[in-house]
Amino acid sequence: MNAQSNLLSLDINVLAVLAVSLLMSVSAVVLAAFLWWRLRSTRTAPVVTNDPPNLDQACKLLYEFEKNGRAADDVLVNWSPETLRQLLASELPDAQVIVVSNREPYIHNLVDGKVKLLVPASGLVSALEPVTRTCSGTWIAYGGGSADRLTVDDNDRIQVPPDRPSYMLRRVWLKDEELQGYYYGFANDGLWPLCHIAFTRPIFRASDFEMYEAVNQKFADIVVEEARNERPIVLVQDYHFALLPRMIRQRLPEATIITFWHIPWPNSEVFSICPWREKILDGLLGSSIIGFHIQFHCNNFTESVDRFLESRIEREDPSITYRGSTTLVHPYPISIEWPPVGFKNQPNASECRRQIFEKYGFDEDTRLCAGVERLDYTKGIVDRFMALDQFFQKNPDWLGRLVFLQIAAPSRGTLAAYQQLHRQCLDYVDDFNRRYGNDRYKPIILLDEYHNQEDICRVYRAADICVVSSLHDGMNLVAKEFVATRDDEQGVLILSTFAGASRELLDALIVNPYDPSAVSDALLRGLSMPAEEQRDRMRRMREVVRSNNVYRWAGSMLLDAARLRKRSEAYEATEPAARAETASNVVPLMGKKKGALR
Ligand code: F6P
């Protein structure tokens, strides 16, 4: 009896516990469902707009993006030429946009007595050309073509693009000794190897630096000549013009000067090798904004300033105040136009493949790897051939079935480092083809000549794999162009971890170019990747390039410029006594303390 009643009370307790647990679970589910419903009903769907963001939205958008690596939830802008045009009209009305670069977007050459047009192999040109077209700006550049002087007007100007003129190119003439000292000497024998980790020693000569200063001054004079008013927006491009921002600032104190450094910036210890390091930093800090592709290079630049100049550095909203003026230091990852107009009228992928296979006499079952670059020691061309060597050692069954087509456009050919590289590539390929090839089969085809955009597009579209194995690269637009041409959503990108593009194109096979065995493994992985996986990866990469296109790059910089100009106007309108307060309250981007706004 006792045992029975104990059993009964145990049952009741168990039942009670079960009932309470059930009640709690049901309440939890009901509560969760209620909260989920509330959340859904209060959250607005993101607005996708083709309009440029106004300044408030833009601040939110860009800061969210920079801080969290994604755009704000509520406004997604489809950046396009139209967005950029509207942005200029609404936020920077009447502003004259002046672009300054060494390389010109259109070169006229005299070939067999006829004037021939050439679009140079330059990432800078492919990015800036569509932007300048959109802004109807003025582009100032060195006129290096043999027929350049024949094609300009009396003021050294020419309307371009030739088929649909929409902006003005102002050509600057340089004497041989100027070109030698400024371009080949200080820029490409000195700064280029200094800024790239490629283990090529920089060479610094005082005479080169003098010429660099003189040529920068020549360009500064021409910027002033071309400026229609006191406040143009000047977009200074690259390491050829480190001294130019300060020189322009001295003549046009009200100008908004945005300097974009297209190559990496070294760490401060490496930078200290440059005998004119303080002058370079001082020159650049004449800018209102200095842009790099990635945060890493912004940090290196800021560290260099910290080490060599008396300045105040604001790390939270990154800016540098020096000699009483403040310069923003921001990452703006460069890109290409979208949709990629240059590739628009090209045949589709299977037709490109057919044409390329026919041209080079490949068997139908051949698999094609492609590399496209300037012949430059930073691009890791020989290193990728070494990886291919390992690949064939490990996978001899691929011999006869795999071809590597390498386009290597001649570049800076009078410099010893480039001549050596050219020789090294030719010798390596000769030896390679002797070891692995035969009369009918050459595993590497090296095309060491210039190719136009149409040829390049055909190669991109024909390839199974595109290899971008730069030893060091600011961004690398070949990677983005390859993705842009692959509207068939096929093809594999092998991408160096030391190219800025690897921060965005996460669906590439990311490799260390110094490790031939890793690159060889990536080749095998790429060759055996199922079509479905290629499609998924390519889709995601295309979406990245579509949304982070070059209009976004330019738009972000111009929005920051607009913000600076508006705040500077507000500052000027403030009573002098209240200016210190204004600077600290209204100008968060400019740093928390005083500093002339411009
Ligand atoms: O990568 C730096 C860069 O200036 C690019 O912007 C450009 O694509 C390339 O070098 C071209 O070099 P160059 O003008 O010397 O031929």
Side-chain angles (χ1 to χ4, degrees):
M1 186 66 184
N2 248 352
Q4 242 180 16
S5 71
N6 279 349
L7 215 59
L8 194 66
S9 71
L10 197 69
D11 278 356
I12 289 171
N13 285 343
V14 169
L15 278 175
V17 169
L18 280 176
V20 170
S21 323
L22 190 70
L23 200 68
M24 281 170 69
S25 312
V26 170
S27 320
V29 170
V30 169
L31 186 67
F34 174 73
L35 287 175
W36 182 75
W37 172 79
R38 284 286 303 161
L39 210 64
R40 280 204 53 167
S41 56
T42 51
R43 230 186 105 161
T44 49
V47 177
V48 180
T49 169
N50 290 325
D51 297 335
N54 61 35
L55 271 183
D56 287 347
Q57 286 172 327
C59 291
K60 188 169 175 196
L61 202 71
L62 294 170
Y63 282 103
E64 281 264 337
F65 195 88
E66 275 157 21
K67 292 219 166 88
N68 309 327
R70 63 179 180 77
D73 283 349
D74 49 356
V75 191
L76 299 172
V77 179
N78 278 328
W79 285 97
S80 67
E82 199 36 46
T83 339
L84 200 57
R85 249 188 300 271
Q86 284 179 36
L87 168 76
L88 281 164
S90 65
E91 303 301 334
L92 293 159
D94 307 324
Q96 180 195 9
V97 175
I98 301 178
V99 176
V100 188
S101 74
N102 172 69
R103 189 61 65 199
E104 57 180 338
Y106 295 97
I107 303 177
H108 288 98
N109 281 323
L110 215 49
V111 184
D112 302 330
K114 286 202 182 109
V115 175
K116 266 197 102 179
L117 183 76
L118 182 134
V119 177
S122 156
L124 180 154
V125 166
S126 36
L128 269 158
E129 211 280 333
V131 171
T132 320
R133 240 188 287 139
T134 304
C135 301
S136 307
T138 300
W139 188 324
I140 302 173
Y142 157 58
S146 50
D148 275 353
R149 283 178 193 263
L150 304 177
T151 45
V152 290
D153 65 14
D154 291 346
N155 298 311
D156 301 328
R157 297 175 180 150
I158 175 174
Q159 289 290 328
V160 286
D163 53 341
R164 210 150 42 98
S166 47
Y167 65 94
M168 207 249 306
L169 172 61
R170 165 77 194 264
R171 286 180 171 145
V172 180
W173 315 118
L174 296 179
K175 297 189 203 90
D176 277 356
E177 63 268 28
E178 288 176 321
L179 196 63
Q180 207 50 48
Y182 136 84
Y183 172 78
Y184 288 108
F186 189 68
N188 285 314
D189 248 353
L191 289 178
W192 179 267
L194 180 78
C195 291
H196 288 92
I197 306 173
F199 304 98
T200 297
R201 187 191 158 127
I203 302 170
F204 291 113
R205 304 174 200 92
S207 54
D208 288 346
F209 186 70
E210 271 169 32
M211 213 43 107
Y212 184 86
E213 247 178 329
V215 170
N216 272 238
Q217 190 58 60
K218 191 173 200 169
F219 273 80
D221 295 345
I222 292 175
V223 170
V224 175
E225 225 174 280
E226 291 295 339
R228 287 196 296 266
N229 59 42
E230 298 285 300
R231 303 185 77 207
I233 296 186
V234 189
L235 305 176
V236 175
Q237 304 303 310
D238 232 349
Y239 60 101
H240 310 92
F241 295 115
L243 307 177
L244 184 60
R246 170 76 55 213
M247 292 169 172
I248 300 174
R249 173 74 56 220
Q250 278 157 0
R251 307 274 300 279
L252 296 171
E254 299 290 307
T256 300
I257 306 171
I258 306 176
T259 301
F260 193 78
W261 195 262
H262 289 254
I263 63 176
W265 188 277
N267 70 43
S268 62
E269 197 173 6
V270 171
F271 181 68
S272 72
I273 293 171
C274 178
W276 302 281
R277 59 200 183 196
E278 287 86 0
K279 284 195 172 184
I280 296 288
L281 296 173
D282 175 87
L284 286 168
L285 289 174
S287 316
S288 321
I289 301 174
I290 299 179
F292 296 90
H293 295 293
I294 58 174
Q295 186 62 50
F296 204 172
H297 301 148
C298 295
N299 296 349
N300 282 349
F301 175 77
T302 306
E303 291 306 322
S304 304
V305 173
D306 199 12
R307 192 158 161 193
F308 298 113
L309 298 182
E310 277 292 322
S311 59
R312 191 178 55 241
I313 292 172
E314 185 65 49
R315 290 180 197 272
E316 208 165 307
D317 283 326
S319 64
I320 296 171
T321 302
Y322 169 67
R323 285 171 65 175
S325 302
T326 303
T327 302
L328 307 188
V329 182
H330 270 214
Y332 302 97
I334 204 169
S335 195
I336 56 171
E337 66 182 326
W338 191 283
V341 176
F343 304 127
K344 200 173 66 186
N345 297 323
Q346 299 308 305
N348 65 23
S350 54
E351 176 56 18
C352 287
R353 196 169 169 90
R354 197 197 58 71
Q355 290 182 12
I356 293 286
F357 273 47
E358 187 182 285
K359 180 167 178 188
Y360 295 101
F362 299 151
D363 294 338
E364 218 173 281
D365 61 347
T366 299
R367 305 294 295 279
L368 183 63
C369 289
V372 177
E373 34 255 314
R374 285 181 306 106
L375 196 50
D376 195 296
Y377 53 80
T378 60
K379 303 292 179 187
I381 298 174
V382 176
D383 299 74
R384 83 185 54 150
F385 294 158
M386 280 155 59
L388 190 64
D389 201 336
Q390 283 219 10
F391 175 84
F392 283 132
Q393 301 272 349
K394 287 196 221 164
N395 309 285
D397 51 317
W398 275 97
L399 273 169
R401 294 194 291 138
L402 178 67
V403 174
F404 202 114
L405 185 67
Q406 176 68 54
I407 292 182
S411 179
R412 307 170 192 169
T414 61
L415 296 182
Y418 288 78
Q419 289 169 359
Q420 263 166 33
L421 173 75
H422 196 180
R423 193 63 275 145
Q424 192 190 6
C425 284
L426 292 173
D427 291 348
Y428 198 96
V429 171
D430 264 3
D431 177 61
F432 194 99
N433 285 344
R434 210 169 309 116
R435 280 189 292 129
Y436 292 114
N438 54 43
D439 287 349
R440 281 204 61 249
Y441 169 63
K442 302 228 173 317
I444 302 181
I445 299 175
L446 176 64
L447 305 172
D448 51 348
E449 61 207 351
Y450 169 80
H451 285 71
N452 63 27
Q453 264 199 321
E454 291 79 54
D455 294 338
I456 291 174
C457 175
R458 262 191 288 274
V459 171
Y460 285 146
R461 284 192 169 149
D464 295 284
I465 297 181
C466 177
V467 181
V468 176
S469 59
S470 312
L471 302 181
H472 204 191
D473 222 326
M475 172 55 69
N476 194 291
L477 293 182
V478 165
K480 293 188 174 179
E481 280 177 3
F482 171 66
V483 167
T485 59
R486 297 311 297 254
D487 45 11
D488 61 331
E489 299 179 339
Q490 289 297 294
V492 174
L493 175 64
I494 295 182
L495 179 58
S496 164
T497 186
F498 303 120
S502 69
R503 307 293 198 282
E504 290 174 82
L505 301 177
L506 303 176
D507 282 289
L509 301 181
I510 309 282
V511 292
N512 173 358
Y514 287 91
D515 182 354
S517 140
V519 178
S520 149
D521 291 350
L523 282 170
L524 185 62
R525 178 136 187 251
L527 289 167
S528 33
M529 188 182 286
E532 229 167 86
E533 184 180 346
Q534 291 185 40
R535 193 203 56 222
D536 290 348
R537 285 172 179 265
M538 188 53 84
R539 246 185 217 174
R540 287 193 291 267
M541 289 195 285
R542 285 174 64 76
E543 180 48 33
V544 169
V545 180
R546 187 194 66 76
S547 51
N548 297 353
N549 60 32
V550 76
Y551 302 107
R552 181 180 192 278
W553 172 74
S556 314
M557 287 190 293
L558 292 172
L559 274 166
D560 279 344
R563 194 166 21 188
L564 289 187
R565 280 162 93 103
K566 290 203 170 157
R567 286 170 184 175
S568 151
E569 281 155 18
Y571 183 78
E572 294 306 325
T574 315
E575 288 294 311
R579 281 190 181 176
E581 217 22 56
T582 308
S584 62
N585 291 337
V586 187
V587 196
L589 253 178
M590 304 294 292
K592 302 274 183 313
K593 298 155 202 108
K594 272 192 293 181
L597 313 176
R598 57 201 183 186

